[in-house]
Amino acid sequence: MTEFDVKGWCPGALRPMQSGDGWVVRVRPRLARLTRAQALGLCDAAQSFGAGLIDLTNRANLQIRGVSDAALAPLQQALAALDLLDSDADLESRRNILIAPDWADGDDSARLWAELAGRLAELPELPPKMGFAMDAGPAPVLSNDPADFRIECGQHGLTLRAEGRALGMALQHGQEIDSLIRLCRWFVDTGGAQSGRMARHHAPLPDWAIWDAAPAPPSRAPFRAGAMPLGLVVGAAFGQIIARDLAQVLAVSDVPAMRVTPWRCLVLEGVTAAPALPASLIVTPDHPALRVDACAGAPLCPQASVETRALALELAPMVDGSLHVSGCAKGCARARAADITLIGRDGRFDLIMQGRTDATGLSRSQILTRFERL
């Protein structure tokens, strides 16, 4: 198997990551929301200091790609002026907090996000990719999104649940973050750092709580492109937005703010009808480009040996189920198995169908011919 480099941390704005097209600078907007001014400023920064592209991540963050060495400091200064920069890199790296995107002012999800964000310094030193989910709405909506510790709606009130465990502990109002921080300390004290993630840590849960609280059934589905009560949901193929196109939409609409979701889409608050949109922004819920996952691929990622996204777009109309095209064996673009997976290896592809290897060493043309016959 081709060797690849597994990064042990996630990029930030103060601690960016080098990629094949320059620095990747990740912005973690508070409550996953940007005001109109912040969103327009971010679009301008992506065009002025990067390649003009903004990625939506599965942790509801935003990434500016293609930042040169010379542009990095001016970009950070621009983000600070927009109030999108943390006070230091350590706190930034800890603020991996997902929030149910339909939170409202003063509700439990917003209250708990704000309290945890204000108490990050109390957390023990956790592995850098660990994160949290504040999913305290009427039913969980983030169950399939990445988090190690979840505060979510249970069958009889809010619960704290460790990832990989079916049941959690019932929470007392006002003590939720106290319990979360205590569970994080248990994780470290019992050797969890060696496991790296909560789902891989199999130590018995601490006996200072009763772990019998079931989460409420996940009756709410992730947002889909189109209109909803909160506003207009706008999707982007592979979660990559052309900054110029987004700025154009913001400029001609009265949207007061924009929310970021972990589902490769944005919510334009208060927009009830779709304005004229550039082709890169999608409001059709069943658009084929929104059903496929593909990483940046070559040449943008030095780990990848194949181009991914153009191939994925060409295959999308041919595939009924889920499709994942990965530039290497890491599979960064999708955490869970897809019906069909293509994995780049030494400039060609291995084909995985329903979890089983179907063919290896396929060229791009061989793949297209095969799928045209399905």
Side-chain angles (χ1 to χ4, degrees):
M1 179 180 293
T2 302
E3 292 185 1
F4 53 84
D5 183 18
V6 178
K7 303 294 184 183
W9 50 282
C10 295
L14 292 170
R15 190 177 287 152
M17 181 179 288
Q18 187 69 252
S19 189
D21 58 339
W23 291 103
V24 176
V25 177
R26 179 175 294 186
V27 177
R28 295 173 166 91
R30 292 167 180 81
L31 293 165
R33 181 179 188 266
L34 293 91
T35 65
R36 176 188 180 86
Q38 287 176 322
L40 284 167
L42 188 74
C43 290
D44 181 67
Q47 295 175 81
S48 299
F49 306 114
L53 300 173
I54 300 173
D55 290 339
L56 308 177
T57 80
N58 63 1
R59 293 195 178 194
N61 296 319
L62 301 149
Q63 291 183 166
I64 296 176
R65 300 195 64 96
V67 180
S68 68
D69 290 345
L72 181 57
L75 171 59
Q76 291 169 332
Q77 293 168 7
L79 294 175
L82 293 167
D83 194 26
L84 291 173
L85 205 65
D86 286 273
S87 58
D88 64 72
D90 288 336
L91 284 180
E92 174 189 64
S93 67
R94 293 179 178 216
R95 195 163 56 78
N96 287 323
I97 315 173
L98 270 178
I99 185 170
D102 56 353
W103 61 269
D105 288 337
D107 73 4
D108 284 331
S109 291
R111 172 180 65 87
L112 294 169
W113 191 101
E115 183 178 350
L116 178 57
R119 298 179 64 183
L120 292 174
E122 298 178 40
L123 290 171
E125 186 172 348
L126 296 168
K129 289 194 175 185
M130 295 192 74
F132 311 89
M134 301 298 125
D135 198 8
V141 71
L142 299 173
S143 301
N144 293 322
D145 299 297
D148 295 271
F149 303 101
R150 302 175 183 274
I151 295 181
E152 57 195 358
C153 179
Q155 295 183 4
H156 303 288
L158 293 183
T159 65
L160 170 60
R161 185 166 63 88
E163 184 71 353
R165 312 300 172 97
L167 302 175
M169 64 172 285
L171 292 168
Q172 296 293 319
H173 182 80
Q175 299 178 19
E176 298 96 342
I177 302 304
D178 291 334
S179 298
L180 172 59
I181 292 172
R182 190 176 183 187
L183 187 61
C184 291
R185 290 172 178 161
W186 159 84
F187 174 84
V188 171
D189 291 344
T190 54
Q194 285 70 46
S195 302
R197 301 298 297 270
M198 181 61 236
R200 298 196 293 262
H201 186 49
H202 303 298
L205 289 169
D207 59 8
W208 44 258
I210 299 174
W211 304 93
D212 63 352
S219 58
R220 299 194 299 154
F223 296 176
R224 300 182 68 198
M228 62 174 296
L230 184 61
L232 184 68
V233 181
V234 179
F238 318 119
Q240 187 167 88
I241 290 174
I242 299 172
R244 179 187 65 253
D245 290 352
L246 178 58
Q248 174 186 327
V249 173
L250 294 169
V252 300
S253 66
D254 295 326
V255 57
M258 179 181 82
R259 298 194 185 196
V260 189
T261 81
W263 311 309
R264 296 183 299 179
C265 60
L266 299 168
V267 183
L268 304 180
E269 288 186 11
V271 176
T272 57
L277 293 175
S280 65
L281 299 174
I282 302 168
V283 292
T284 306
D286 57 353
H287 195 290
L290 299 181
R291 293 190 284 104
V292 298
D293 297 281
C295 63
L300 299 182
C301 176
Q303 310 299 316
S305 65
V306 292
E307 188 283 327
T308 55
R309 289 182 171 172
L311 175 61
L313 285 177
E314 196 163 355
L315 292 174
M318 307 178 193
V319 176
D320 291 329
S322 55
L323 169 67
H324 179 194
V325 183
S326 182
C328 74
K330 286 195 298 181
C332 297
R334 185 181 174 96
R336 289 168 172 77
D339 297 322
I340 302 170
T341 303
L342 289 164
I343 300 174
R345 180 169 58 86
D346 298 330
R348 300 176 82 85
F349 293 91
D350 296 338
L351 173 62
I352 314 297
M353 303 283 285
Q354 302 296 337
R356 295 188 177 185
T357 300
D358 186 89
T360 60
L362 297 176
S363 68
R364 190 180 192 278
S365 61
Q366 287 174 319
I367 290 167
L368 290 171
T369 299
R370 184 185 184 106
F371 277 82
E372 285 170 354
R373 294 172 180 168
L374 291 180

